[in-house]
Structure formats: structure tokens, C-alpha cells
Amino acid sequence: MVKKSNYRNLEKKLKFTKRNCWEVWSDNEKKKAFAFNEKYKDFLDKAKTEREAVQCGVRLAEKKGFREIGQCRSLKAGDKVYEINRHKSLILAVIGKKSLSDGLRIIMSHVDSPHLDLKVQPLYEEEDLAYFKTHYYGGIKKYHWPTIALALHGTIVLTNGRKVDLKIGEKKDEPIFMISDLLPHLGRKQLKKPLEEAIVGEELNILAGSIPVRDKKIKEKVKLAVLEYLHKKYGIKEEDLFSAEIQAVPAESARDLGFDRSLIAAYGQDDRICAWTSLSAIFDAKPADRTQICFWVDREEIGSEGNTGAQSIFLESFVSKLLALKKVGDGLKDVYQVFAFSQALSSDVTAALDPDYKDVHDPRNTAKLGYGVALEKYTGHRGKSVTSEASAEYTQEIRSILNKNKIIWQTASLGKVDEGGGGTIAMFMAKRNMDIIDMGIALFNMHAPMEISSKADVYSAYLAYKAFFE
Ligand code: MN
Ligand code: MN
């Protein structure tokens, strides 16, 4: 029999309790967390598309001594290399002391975020106004997008092959773009529709101009005026818009939220929050026995398909280059050997318990804002479909790394069992025969134009990724 007076000790010994970073951290740690988040916000403002994220990541990596892998003749422990895939995916590696065939330590995240793509024939005129037609990318709630300030970011390849980068709507003196919505006075029918039908994809048209050219013979005068502007400023003709990747993204920059400034509201935190924390971790981690890899992929929001997504063989190709430079065989067999002994983290966002929407969550199994990096054994949908699951052995290994390094962490799962769910890139890495677990950051209003995160979780994730690398 245990004496009643001992129960408090017993509770401490046996119970797993979530801890709030703000209650545990010293003033000095809090200060470091706030400073870290200033750099994160800066990254979010500079990297609103996957291309911009990769550009930004490479610029920082080169400053930290990373070299393009094609420039290397051989590799030794401590060397830092990177490779870019088609401007939208990036791998960074710090070579470890042990052989590559002992496996890698990989952290993967994605740098694409839900947004509106301009259609292939986007520009049109109606009622003397010029518009761009769009096709949304990723799982958005369409009613979020009208009436917010939008910026256009993109790359256009002109007829002569010249590449033009476009970014308009971010600076205070630049114009923004907008999708209009119906006034409530006439919205009686619209307001009775289910949210999913109130705004449909074909209505997400972006207003882009209203001054016509002065010639009565011209049929679409405002459209021609927009084309004239685009041609004068960038050399773009209408056909060039077909060989273009132009995205409409929220024009707002990353902002502190709340009196205490403990939260961040910003566009694209899914998943540049994990891209930033894993990049910072590989920059700051001490070189270790195993080779460290920070891998940024594109196309996660639409199923990881495509040559820049997690399902592409870019990783195989990169690892075979590492093997060749270490002169230890570079065939697929050797790459598979490396994968079989590799350990990976899929670093992506999860849902935080929102008091206003408690009914869709299992509160006991949902992450909370401010309670640290979130460890998710599996994601997926009803009945654990469309996901991988980390083994008991690997989960324990990760847990012990976190505990040894005194990192505040919590468990997570997305939604009630029968409610819905979501996937990550973990399953595509599991397919490559490596150990992988999801470890990321919980957000409020994921996939909305502005998503909310806790600065504590951002910093805790950075510390966790660094510990994993080391
Ligand atoms: Mn994500
Ligand atoms: Mn997402």
C-alpha cells in the first residue's frame, strides 16, 4: 500500500504533464525566443513563394559556408554542401564523421503554401474592368480570400527566353490587388448558402485595373491598357503569361499578435515555420557523427506530386552524389543502404486546440499553443489511412533526445478520429525505408491567409531540431 502523503511524489513520477514554455523558461530563455522570432518574421516577409524561400535559404546558406555540390571534388567531415532542384526545392547537408552508410539525420519540411495561382489565360475584361482569373492551390476556404489585400509574386519567361521576376503589392507605395465580395445589402441569398458554396473557385477573380486606352475602335480597352503597362514595365506580352508562375498571396507582412507579443500572425507559416526552424538548426548545430540533411520540398499542399515534390527522386539523386564524392559507390543499391539506416523528422504544422472549435478535437490528444514542439506519431485520415506511423522504438529514441536536451514538447494528433485529418510528407520518406516521425508546430487557422503560431513553439522546435541533428 502506498501512503496517501506519497501520492504527490507518485504523481510527479508517473504522470505525463504538458508544460507551458512561458511558465517554465527563465527570463533569459524567453528573451532568446523573442529574438529568434524576429528573424523568423523577416524570413516570412521575404519568402512568400517556394521560389523566394529557396532563394532566401541559399543566400543565407552561402554566408554560412555551404557550397553548391557541383563545385565539390571530394567531401570530408564538416563540409557543407547544397543543391537546388528547379528553383523550388533545396537540400543542405553537413557531412558527418561516420560513413554515409550508417545513415543520415534528415529534417524535411515544405516551402509551398496555399495561395491563388493565375490561370494560364488569366487576363480579361468585363464591364470596363480588368481582371485576372485564378485557380486556387492547396486546401483553402474560398470565402477567406475576397476583400483582403493581395500581392502578386512570380516568374515569367518571355518569348525571347528572358526571365522576369515580378513582385508587386508588398511595399506601402505599391498598388495591391483584390477580389471583391457582394455587399450584405444584396447578400440575402448568398448568406443562406453553406460556406463551401458561398464563394466558388470561378468567382476568385482579381481586380487589376479600370482605365481604358483612348481608342473607340478597340474592343477591350482596359485589358489593353493593362497589357500596355505590363509590356512597358516588364516586356510581357499576353502569350508570355502562359509560361509564367504568378501567385496572388496576402500582402500583409508578419505581425506580432496580442498585448504580450507572444504570438505571430502571418501568411505561409504552413510550412515555412518548419523550413525556417530546421534551416536555423542545421546552421547552428555542431557537426555530428551522422551527416545532417535539411530538405525543403515543394508541392506538399497538393499531394507532393511533381518533380519538386517529396515524391520526386531528387533526394536519391543528391545522396548518390554524396556517395560518389565520398568514393563509396553511388548506385541505387548504395543509396537504399543509406536510407535503410537513416532517421528522419517530417517537420510540418499541426492543429492547435482552439477553444472556439473544441468539438472537432480530442482535447487530450491535441497540441496547445505555447506548449512546445509537437510530436505526432501518425497523421492521416479515418482509420489511420494515408499516413505512415513511427514505430515504438523510433518514437522512444526521439523522445529521449528531447528529454536529454530538456526541450519542452507535447504530443499531437489532428482532429477527432472520425472528423477528418490531414497528411504530411512522412509517408513518402517511410516508403524510402527510413524511420520517420512528424515533429512540428501547432497553428491556429491553418491554411487561412494569416495563420497564428506561438513564438514559444517556434523556438522550442528550433531547439528540438538542433538537438536531433547533434
Ligand atoms: Mn504543411
Ligand atoms: Mn498545409
Side-chain angles (χ1 to χ4, degrees):
M1 276 293 284
V2 185
K3 268 193 260 159
K4 199 179 176 188
S5 58
N6 285 339
Y7 281 140
R8 287 181 77 173
N9 284 334
L10 192 67
E11 185 185 44
K12 214 176 151 195
K13 198 172 138 192
L14 300 183
K15 248 184 105 177
F16 174 65
T17 337
K18 280 189 197 180
R19 290 179 301 158
N20 187 328
C21 296
W22 303 120
E23 285 181 341
V24 178
W25 283 347
S26 66
D27 286 347
N28 188 40
E29 271 170 312
K30 285 181 200 162
K31 224 167 115 186
K32 280 196 219 161
F34 272 90
F36 182 82
N37 276 278
E38 286 307 302
K39 286 186 247 163
Y40 168 49
K41 284 187 292 172
D42 190 49
F43 172 69
L44 285 175
D45 290 344
K46 286 182 181 141
K48 285 197 175 179
T49 67
E50 49 284 342
R51 278 177 189 261
E52 288 170 3
V54 167
Q55 266 172 21
C56 203
V58 168
R59 215 178 312 129
L60 294 167
E62 284 182 342
K63 276 191 203 154
K64 297 278 178 187
F66 284 79
R67 284 181 307 150
E68 215 280 311
I69 194 164
Q71 296 171 2
C72 302
R73 290 281 160 82
S74 64
L75 287 175
K76 56 176 191 319
D79 280 353
K80 300 169 182 177
V81 290
Y82 73 84
E83 186 172 18
I84 303 170
N85 184 15
R86 295 175 169 80
H87 314 281
K88 293 180 235 174
S89 174
L90 172 68
I91 303 181
L92 301 144
V94 178
I95 307 303
K97 290 168 215 152
K98 278 191 176 175
S99 154
L100 289 169
S101 56
D102 286 320
L104 313 164
R105 280 257 161 110
I106 307 174
I107 305 184
M108 302 187 68
S109 55
H110 66 94
V111 286
D112 60 318
S113 297
H115 61 264
L116 305 177
D117 276 324
L118 294 200
K119 279 196 182 184
V120 291
Q121 289 277 348
L123 186 60
Y124 71 98
E125 174 173 337
E126 200 168 325
E127 300 301 335
D128 307 317
L129 297 166
Y131 286 96
F132 286 124
K133 288 214 72 75
T134 67
H135 193 145
Y136 60 94
Y137 172 96
I140 60 164
K141 283 174 157 178
K142 279 158 254 176
Y143 70 86
H144 280 158
W145 291 78
T147 75
I148 63 165
L150 297 171
L152 295 178
H153 291 230
T155 298
I156 304 103
V157 185
L158 307 182
T159 315
N160 61 13
R162 191 164 68 87
K163 224 160 138 175
V164 177
D165 285 326
L166 174 146
K167 181 152 115 177
I168 181 161
E170 293 294 344
K171 292 187 187 138
K172 280 273 172 286
D173 60 343
E174 285 174 353
I176 51 117
F177 300 85
M178 194 174 280
I179 296 162
S180 59
D181 193 9
L182 187 58
L183 62 167
H185 314 65
L186 299 177
R188 216 163 58 89
K189 261 192 252 157
Q190 185 199 38
L191 289 169
K192 280 189 183 146
K193 289 182 187 171
L195 281 177
E196 206 179 348
E197 292 161 25
I199 305 286
V200 296
E202 287 298 342
E203 288 167 353
L204 296 176
N205 302 317
I206 298 173
L207 187 54
S210 68
I211 303 179
V213 295
R214 292 182 86 165
D215 185 334
K216 288 215 169 86
K217 290 254 168 70
I218 300 293
K219 245 179 127 191
E220 296 177 311
K221 300 184 195 67
V222 185
K223 174 174 169 175
L224 188 61
V226 170
L227 282 172
E228 186 187 23
Y229 174 85
L230 289 174
H231 190 254
K232 269 192 190 153
K233 176 115 201 221
Y234 305 102
I236 298 170
K237 292 186 212 159
E238 190 175 13
E239 193 188 303
D240 298 330
L241 294 173
F242 183 50
S243 52
E245 292 169 19
I246 304 175
Q247 309 184 2
V249 297
E252 182 65 85
S253 46
R255 305 289 295 267
D256 288 343
L257 193 158
F259 290 116
D260 55 13
R261 294 178 173 263
S262 60
L263 306 163
I264 291 176
Y267 167 67
Q269 299 201 67
D270 175 8
D271 184 32
R272 290 176 206 126
I273 197 167
C274 295
W276 177 253
T277 41
S278 59
L279 182 78
S280 305
I282 202 168
F283 286 168
D284 298 347
K286 286 181 224 113
D289 285 346
R290 293 203 188 180
T291 294
Q292 303 154 339
I293 303 255
C294 170
F295 186 10
W296 287 1
V297 292
D298 175 29
R299 313 292 292 171
E300 193 278 339
E301 296 295 355
I302 48 91
S304 297
E305 309 280 353
N307 51 18
T308 51
Q311 297 201 62
S312 101
I313 58 155
F314 178 43
L315 184 67
E316 281 79 350
S317 155
F318 181 80
V319 171
S320 99
K321 284 179 191 175
L322 290 183
L323 287 165
L325 287 165
K326 293 277 270 177
K327 301 179 178 58
V328 281
D330 57 2
L332 211 46
K333 171 173 73 72
D334 307 298
V335 173
Y336 288 155
Q337 173 75 11
V338 174
F339 285 169
F341 293 97
S342 290
Q343 298 183 316
L345 298 180
S346 158
S347 57
D348 203 345
V349 298
T350 185
L353 184 65
D354 186 332
D356 276 336
Y357 299 99
K358 259 187 172 165
D359 56 323
V360 297
H361 297 293
D362 165 8
R364 291 176 192 88
N365 279 290
T366 306
K368 287 175 75 169
L369 288 181
Y371 282 69
V373 71
L375 210 51
E376 206 165 350
K377 214 159 162 281
Y378 55 87
T379 60
H381 299 263
R382 299 166 189 88
K384 294 192 175 180
S385 53
V386 204
T387 181
S388 57
E389 181 164 357
S391 68
E393 291 86 348
Y394 187 51
T395 306
Q396 194 282 334
E397 244 185 275
I398 296 301
R399 186 163 66 95
S400 73
I401 292 176
L402 297 174
N403 289 339
K404 238 182 258 160
N405 288 279
K406 297 198 166 41
I407 284 151
I408 298 177
W409 61 277
Q410 57 181 329
T411 59
S413 71
L414 202 148
K416 276 187 179 163
V417 170
D418 286 330
E419 201 63 48
T424 64
I425 44 190
M427 59 181 173
F428 305 117
M429 302 305 277
K431 205 183 237 175
R432 290 172 160 118
N433 192 27
M434 58 178 77
D435 278 314
I436 186 150
I437 188 164
D438 272 286
M439 183 154 92
I441 297 167
L443 297 182
F444 271 179
N445 44 295
M446 191 197 295
H447 287 200
M450 298 280 274
E451 300 167 313
I452 298 171
S453 64
S454 161
K455 290 183 180 177
D457 300 336
V458 175
Y459 189 59
S460 159
Y462 158 73
L463 295 175
Y465 297 157
K466 195 162 148 280
F468 173 76
F469 276 142
E470 287 174 350

